[in-house]
Amino acid sequence: MIKNQLPDTDLTLKDFRYDLPEELIAQTPLEPRDSSRLMVIDRKRDGVEHRIFRDITEYLRPGDVLVINDTRVIPARIVGRRCRKMTAEGLISSDSTAPVELLLLKQRENDVWEALAGPGKRARCGDVIEFGGGMLLAYVTDIIDDGLRVVKFVPDKEKFQTVYEALHALGSMPLPPYIKEKLADAERYQTVYSREEGSSAAPTAGLHFTPELLQKIKDMGVEVVPVLLHVGLGTFRPVKEEKLQDHEMHSEYIRVTEEAAKIINEKRAAGGRVIAVGTTSCRTLESAADENGILHSCSTDTGIFIYPGYKFKITDALITNFHLPESTLLMLVSAFAGREKMLSAYETAVNEHYRFFSFGDSMLLL
C-alpha cells in the first residue's frame, strides 16, 4: 500500500474550521450539469474570478491533460435485520425487527467487504444480517474499529448471481447525510464518464461535466485521461484528532494504466499541464508519481494523506468542489493553494452565496 511520509506541521484541526450557513448546503444538483458556478483562483495572484463551470474551457490550453476518475458509485447503502438462529433446513429466522444499516466501503476479495454498520451493537462478530427477506445474507466476520466491520455476503443464487446484482435490487445510493432531499435520478450522483463500479461516494468535482463539454475540451487539443480511485472511508472519514499527523487514512484502491501513465508523462514533458479533476484524481496521481514527477502504472491501495507542507509531484492544477470544515479534502486543497488563500476564498464563497458540498459549485485552482 502507498503511503506518504507525513510532513511536520504546527497546524491543528481547528485551523481548518469555517462558518457555513446551513442554507448554502446544496440539496439537489443543478441542470444542466455545467451551469454551476465556478470560482477561479490563480495561486500566484490575489483575488478570485466568478464564472460558470462551462467557462472552464477558457482556462485550458492545447497540450494540457485533464485527469478524471472514472469510478462508478454502487448502491452501497443497504438496510436489513439481524438474525441469530438457523433451522435444520438452513433457513435464517429473525430475532428482531430493529433495522441494521450497512454502508459498503471497500471490496476486499470476492464477496468480502469492509462496511460501516449502524448501529454497531447490532453487527457483532458472528452475527448474521438478512436483506430482502433472506435474498442476501451478510456474515459479520471481524470488527476493525467502532462501527467498521468485515462482512461476507452470501446471495440467494436463485435470485442473484453476484453481490452487485443483489445491491442493485436491494440497496440505495449512498448520499451524504447532509443531503436531506430525495434524489430524483440516481444518475445525477454519477459522473457522465463513470465506468467501473466500486465507490461508496461520487468523485463530485466530475459531476459538473457534460458529454458536450468534454467533447469541446477534447476538440481544443486537451487530452482527457482516466485513472481510478474507488472512493471509500479514506476520502470522507472525519478527522477527530487535533494533531493532523495522528489521523489515519483508511486505504482505497487505485489504478493507473500503462497507457494513462505514458500519455500524462509525454504531455507534461512537452509543457502541458496536468489538471486533476477532483481530490481523488489528485491523490491517485500523487500516489503513483515518483519524486521526479514521473507517473508510473500501478494497481494497489493508497493511504496518502495530503495537508499543508506536502510537496506536490505532478499535479499542476485542480478542479474541486467546496469541502466540509475540518475535512481531509479541505486540507488537501489548502496544501495545494495555501490555507489562508483557501479560507479567504471560502469566506468569499459564503458571502457570494455559492452552493457547497457534493451537489454544490466548484473551484479551479491554477
Side-chain angles (χ1 to χ4, degrees):
M1 183 179 76
I2 298 171
K3 281 191 174 184
N4 57 312
Q5 184 175 355
L6 298 178
D8 293 331
T9 181
D10 293 328
L11 296 173
T12 62
L13 189 57
K14 69 177 185 297
D15 293 311
F16 298 91
R17 294 172 185 162
Y18 67 90
D19 295 323
L20 178 68
E22 187 175 351
E23 62 267 21
L24 295 184
I25 300 175
Q27 295 296 311
T28 55
L30 291 180
E31 291 293 346
R33 290 173 181 255
D34 60 1
S35 63
S36 57
R37 297 173 74 184
L38 176 70
M39 179 183 285
V40 182
I41 298 176
D42 188 326
R43 291 178 289 165
K44 298 179 181 178
R45 301 176 184 173
D46 293 329
V48 302
E49 295 181 60
H50 303 287
R51 306 296 298 269
I52 301 300
F53 189 81
R54 65 177 67 97
D55 298 334
I56 201 165
T57 54
E58 298 180 26
Y59 300 90
L60 304 178
R61 303 192 293 256
D64 286 343
V65 185
L66 196 69
V67 182
I68 60 176
N69 178 11
D70 63 358
T71 188
R72 186 168 176 81
V73 185
I74 60 174
R77 193 178 303 277
I78 187 168
V79 179
R81 295 187 300 170
R82 185 178 65 178
C83 312
R84 282 184 180 169
K85 299 177 182 178
M86 183 174 290
T87 68
E89 291 79 16
L91 300 176
I92 299 293
S93 60
S94 299
D95 72 331
S96 171
T97 58
V100 182
E101 179 180 281
L102 294 183
L103 174 62
L104 275 61
L105 297 173
K106 182 182 177 183
Q107 187 175 17
R108 283 193 170 186
E109 56 179 318
N110 298 326
D111 297 334
V112 178
W113 286 74
E114 293 179 12
L116 281 176
K121 64 182 180 182
R122 294 185 192 148
R124 296 171 296 199
C125 202
D127 281 349
V128 181
I129 306 167
E130 67 170 357
F131 306 92
M135 289 192 288
L136 179 66
L137 302 178
Y139 294 80
V140 182
T141 62
D142 195 10
I143 297 176
I144 300 176
D145 57 28
D146 186 33
L148 191 58
R149 304 290 187 265
V150 178
V151 298
K152 179 177 176 57
F153 285 104
V154 178
D156 183 341
K157 292 300 184 181
E158 293 185 2
K159 302 288 185 180
F160 310 111
Q161 293 300 309
T162 67
V163 173
Y164 279 100
E165 286 185 12
L167 290 174
H168 280 284
L170 304 173
S172 61
M173 197 58 70
L175 294 179
Y178 52 76
I179 295 179
K180 311 300 182 184
E181 298 284 337
K182 186 175 181 180
L183 185 61
D185 179 8
E187 280 300 308
R188 284 303 275 108
Y189 197 55
Q190 307 278 13
T191 62
V192 296
Y193 47 75
S194 63
R195 184 182 59 84
E196 184 171 327
E197 288 190 316
S199 277
S200 304
T204 54
L207 295 179
H208 306 284
F209 287 94
T210 65
E212 294 79 13
L213 179 57
L214 282 170
Q215 188 59 54
K216 184 177 181 180
I217 289 170
K218 293 175 183 178
D219 292 343
M220 292 173 55
V222 175
E223 197 83 38
V224 178
V225 178
V227 296
L228 181 75
L229 182 146
H230 284 324
V231 184
L233 192 58
T235 293
F236 59 79
R237 185 192 192 199
V239 178
K240 297 179 181 179
E241 296 81 5
E242 273 299 314
K243 293 183 178 180
L244 303 190
Q245 296 96 322
D246 293 338
H247 176 71
E248 180 185 356
M249 291 287 288
H250 282 258
S251 66
E252 295 164 304
Y253 175 74
I254 63 170
R255 185 172 65 232
V256 177
T257 65
E258 291 186 6
E259 180 183 10
K262 180 175 182 292
I263 293 172
I264 293 170
N265 288 331
E266 288 178 350
K267 293 294 183 180
R268 195 162 191 258
R273 298 171 299 174
V274 175
I275 302 166
V277 178
T279 57
T280 60
S281 297
C282 177
R283 288 179 64 231
T284 302
L285 289 168
E286 294 298 316
S287 296
D290 63 26
E291 297 302 322
N292 296 315
I294 304 300
L295 190 65
H296 299 272
S297 61
C298 66
S299 179
T300 186
D301 287 342
T302 184
I304 192 172
F305 183 19
I306 297 175
Y307 56 82
Y310 177 85
K311 304 300 182 184
F312 286 83
K313 297 176 286 189
I314 192 169
T315 307
D316 299 309
L318 177 64
I319 299 169
T320 186
N321 279 19
F322 292 90
H323 303 296
L324 276 73
E326 302 181 346
S327 64
T328 61
L329 308 181
L330 179 57
M331 294 171 189
L332 186 153
V333 297
S334 296
F336 190 76
R339 187 184 71 91
E340 293 80 7
K341 186 181 286 286
M342 290 309 305
L343 290 181
S344 175
Y346 272 51
E347 183 179 1
T348 299
V350 170
N351 293 336
E352 295 291 332
H353 295 93
Y354 273 69
R355 303 167 78 246
F356 277 67
F357 304 160
S358 294
F359 287 143
D361 296 315
S362 63
M363 307 179 79
L364 171 61
L365 306 178
L366 296 170

